[in-house]
Amino acid sequence: MTSTGANKAPHVPVLVNEVIAALAIHGGETAVDGTFGAGGYTRAMLSGGAGRVIGFDRDPDAIEAGRSLVPDPRLELIQENFSQMDRVLAERGIGLVDAIALDIGVSSMQIDRAERGFSFQADGPLDMRMSRSGLTAAEFLNSADEAEIARVLRDYGEEPRARAIARAIVAARPVERTGQLAAIVRRAAGFRPGQKSDPATRTFQAIRIHLNAELDELEQGLEAAERALKPGGRLAVVTFHSLEDRIVKRFLRERSGSTPAGSRHRPEIREPIEPTFERVAKPVSPSEREQAVNPRARSARLRSAIRTSAPSRKERLQ
Ligand SMILES: C[S@@+](CC[C@H](N)C(=O)[O-])C[C@H]1O[C@@H](n2cnc3c(N)ncnc32)[C@H](O)[C@@H]1O
């Protein structure tokens, strides 16, 4: 797909040329790849002339594999959530950076390993923890009450049959395997083989987002990026569904001054806030060619903007 040889990688990077164009890395600059994965973006940043790349991933397997996937002395790999990037960069004396990329969601490496429990296509234990720590999907499904499971399926999977599926899960406990969960969901949602979209997709997405607190991480990651970028620094974020894209869109709108920062509940409070981002680009979707070659790219959307010299929200509030 790119001249970086990324098509041989265990994860085909999505919108990589567009991300690199948005990051506009000049020779020798320092960039953060907040979601290292299989290193597709990192490799492109390094071939684009970055002097130093800090790669974050919360998944210890990604960090372990990354050392041989991208054996480049300009790369430092850190197992940490991207929401912590500004703190970690400061602690390591790296300071503010020139460019930050986030590629939200799971990698093909995570999906393809049945033992990680992210996929309903191959049977494995119900795990789904990106960082391999915290509550597993099985622990959640076997202990939460029906209303809580239904809320997760509705809020994070936009599942119209959330109640019926939650009831079926509770009735079938203990639920331990991905194959078992997929069968329960299909039965409860009235799925027939050959039907276009498998309802298990929505349930698996919802549980994964909940367990890994993915939407909170995204919100906090955007704020961390605001604190970690130099004036003139570039931010590029790729998302894969509307729940995530809405968060990025709202953040950039608000931080670029396109919407007042007053609260929804107290709309009369409208402090004039100096924008922390400018030149917010129109969202970019993958070309038809990329979508044909990589079906996973179909729903991807890139948003990008440039950091101004205004103090971050946190600095302003201190
Ligand atoms: C879509 S993949 C990134 C793929 C990468 N751009 C590439 O080209 O190989 C997302 C990666 O981000 C990691 N990740 C997800 N949420 C994270 C978070 N909050 N902090 C750090 N890493 C995260 C996942 O573990 C996964 O490896």
Side-chain angles (χ1 to χ4, degrees), residues 21-104:
L23 295 179
I25 295 171
H26 306 297
E29 284 189 334
T30 298
V32 164
D33 181 351
T35 48
F36 178 80
Y41 285 8
T42 288
R43 227 175 282 122
M45 287 169 170
L46 291 166
S47 13
R52 188 175 192 186
V53 175
I54 322 297
F56 287 88
D57 204 295
R58 72 201 297 191
D59 187 338
D61 291 7
I63 298 296
E64 182 61 36
R67 297 186 215 286
S68 42
L69 277 175
V70 190
D72 189 306
R74 292 172 294 165
L75 171 65
E76 286 156 63
L77 282 169
I78 301 174
Q79 191 207 327
E80 186 54 89
N81 287 10
F82 55 61
S83 58
Q84 305 302 309
M85 70 171 97
D86 58 320
R87 178 183 59 76
V88 174
L89 293 170
E91 279 169 9
R92 295 186 176 221
I94 297 166
L96 302 182
V97 300
D98 301 288
I100 298 176
L102 297 176
D103 181 14
I104 302 305

Side-chain angles (χ1 to χ4, degrees), residues 94-295:
I94 297 166
L96 302 182
V97 300
D98 301 288
I100 298 176
L102 297 176
D103 181 14
I104 302 305
V106 268
S107 70
S108 303
M109 287 195 298
Q110 289 165 330
I111 293 277
D112 292 345
R113 292 202 186 127
E115 75 273 15
R116 300 298 305 267
F118 287 106
S119 171
F120 57 88
Q121 316 257 7
D123 189 44
L126 271 172
D127 190 317
M128 299 198 203
R129 298 166 305 165
M130 287 181 181
S131 64
R132 287 189 176 274
S133 61
L135 205 66
T136 65
E139 285 164 349
F140 166 65
L141 292 174
N142 291 324
S143 63
D145 63 28
E146 191 182 307
E148 166 72 349
I149 297 174
R151 183 193 66 76
V152 166
L153 302 187
R154 207 176 26 245
D155 289 358
Y156 303 138
E158 298 176 289
E159 172 55 65
R161 310 222 47 202
R163 270 259 159 216
I165 295 171
R167 201 174 313 125
I169 290 171
V170 169
R173 284 175 182 175
V175 187
E176 304 288 356
R177 311 281 302 175
T178 56
Q180 185 191 0
L181 177 62
I184 295 167
V185 173
R186 289 177 188 137
R187 216 175 306 123
F191 176 68
R192 277 179 217 88
Q195 213 168 294
K196 210 166 144 220
S197 75
D198 189 331
T201 313
R202 293 192 291 272
T203 289
F204 273 65
Q205 171 192 298
I207 297 170
R208 191 202 89 208
I209 290 179
H210 171 65
L211 284 181
N212 295 288
E214 289 180 44
L215 302 185
D216 286 348
E217 263 298 310
L218 176 55
E219 279 179 15
Q220 291 167 29
L222 294 170
E223 289 178 13
E226 180 186 61
R227 297 190 291 271
L229 277 172
K230 280 180 190 163
R234 287 81 59 197
L235 172 67
V237 186
V238 174
T239 60
F240 287 85
H241 54 77
S242 56
L243 294 172
E244 297 165 345
D245 182 52
R246 209 174 301 149
I247 291 173
V248 183
K249 181 175 156 184
R250 282 197 186 143
F251 175 84
L252 290 178
R253 262 201 194 158
E254 197 214 301
R255 296 303 216 256
S256 62
S258 316
T259 48
S263 122
R264 192 156 52 88
H265 307 290
R266 301 175 66 191
E268 74 280 8
I269 300 176
R270 294 193 178 180
E271 317 162 43
I273 294 174
E274 237 191 298
T276 52
F277 282 95
E278 62 184 0
R279 286 186 272 161
V280 177
K282 287 215 174 78
V284 177
S285 300
S287 63
E288 281 180 19
R289 192 173 160 273
E290 179 169 5
Q291 292 185 41
V293 178
N294 183 9

